[in-house]
Amino acid sequence: GAMQKQVGQISGQAQDISQARKLERKKVMSELGVLSSIKEEYPMFSDITVRDLRDQGTLDERRMEYYSPEDSPTGEEMIDIFDPELQGEELQNAIIGEFLHSAPKRSKEYAELRDVIQSIKTPQQIQDDISRYEYAKENYGEKRPFEKWLDVSGLDAFIRGYAVKQWEPEYYTDEQKLVIDMMMNIVRE
């Protein structure tokens, strides 16, 4: 009995210490319940690992990061979430937005519509792409040539902006909205 009592006391102390941590974890886990509902709604992406690293804070101002198998630390496609401010619907939208990086290689139809989007950009939007690229070079150490940046980052950001409401809808033409809606229907199938 004494042994059990001692073990009980030790685990009691450990429990006190980890209580705050536990509550934190609980919140995190319930938020990752968010993840299973996203994966149900977007089964196309159900194999992508999502790691919750929000307790580590943002990584050079990046709120989250998508890794293709080529640049992933594990060799597998995955998403890391860094920003503790990302919660609820905003977190959900951000994860869906990152999933979209993977869509072109999972769906030929999506990839084709993605090309269409690039081809129907307004002159102002094209100018804005260049500005965003220059900004990324100056502030985030972007080293890729413009075309590569546009294909890997810029175009997906444009699509995501409307698809998960990260940018003002007025920024997009009706035709662009229609095409992005079609793309989102494909990834929900």
Side-chain angles (χ1 to χ4, degrees):
M3 183 65 181
Q4 247 176 330
K5 194 174 170 193
Q6 200 181 357
V7 169
Q9 279 174 335
I10 293 168
S11 74
Q13 287 163 348
Q15 261 177 341
D16 290 341
I17 297 166
S18 72
Q19 202 55 45
R21 204 78 186 106
K22 261 207 191 112
L23 285 171
E24 193 53 37
R25 276 282 147 238
K26 210 173 192 172
K27 200 182 96 206
V28 167
M29 290 323 288
S30 73
E31 291 230 326
L32 287 184
V34 160
L35 192 57
S36 54
S37 68
I38 294 172
K39 288 189 171 185
E40 273 168 39
E41 198 182 343
Y42 301 90
M44 180 188 281
F45 307 117
S46 60
D47 59 321
I48 300 178
T49 304
V50 179
R51 300 193 304 182
D52 187 349
L53 307 177
R54 286 176 295 176
D55 53 352
Q56 298 174 24
T58 52
L59 180 69
D60 24 282
E61 290 186 44
R62 285 180 301 180
R63 308 185 72 191
M64 62 197 316
E65 189 65 41
Y66 164 82
Y67 302 96
S68 65
E70 301 79 59
D71 54 26
S72 164
T74 64
E76 285 175 42
E77 230 182 335
M78 69 178 190
I79 294 169
D80 283 346
I81 309 166
F82 303 115
D83 188 354
E85 302 289 301
L86 276 176
Q87 289 175 13
E89 193 184 356
E90 194 188 1
L91 174 63
Q92 200 167 344
N93 285 342
I95 293 171
I96 296 164
E98 294 296 322
F99 277 161
L100 295 180
H101 283 301
S102 183
K105 52 175 185 291
R106 291 166 184 256
S107 162
K108 191 168 175 286
E109 205 184 342
Y110 183 98
E112 286 166 2
L113 289 173
R114 187 175 177 270
D115 293 339
V116 169
I117 279 290
Q118 183 57 38
S119 71
I120 59 175
K121 279 187 180 170
T122 66
Q124 181 59 57
Q125 289 168 338
I126 292 166
Q127 198 50 56
D128 293 343
D129 282 339
I130 297 167
S131 303
R132 292 206 324 271
Y133 172 68
E134 292 301 330
Y135 185 84
K137 278 203 319 196
E138 285 164 36
N139 297 279
Y140 298 114
E142 179 58 61
K143 305 248 186 298
R144 295 169 294 188
F146 175 72
E147 289 305 322
K148 178 83 175 151
W149 170 87
L150 185 64
D151 184 52
V152 177
S153 302
L155 182 53
D156 285 339
F158 181 84
I159 293 163
R160 178 175 74 224
Y162 177 70
V164 297
K165 306 176 176 63
Q166 290 177 345
W167 295 3
E168 292 300 320
E170 299 75 42
Y171 185 64
Y172 299 84
T173 67
D174 288 344
E175 190 184 10
Q176 290 167 351
K177 290 176 185 177
L178 200 66
V179 174
I180 295 173
D181 285 338
M182 285 165 67
M183 294 165 81
M184 292 308 284
N185 286 335
I186 291 167
V187 297
R188 282 196 190 96
E189 276 164 15

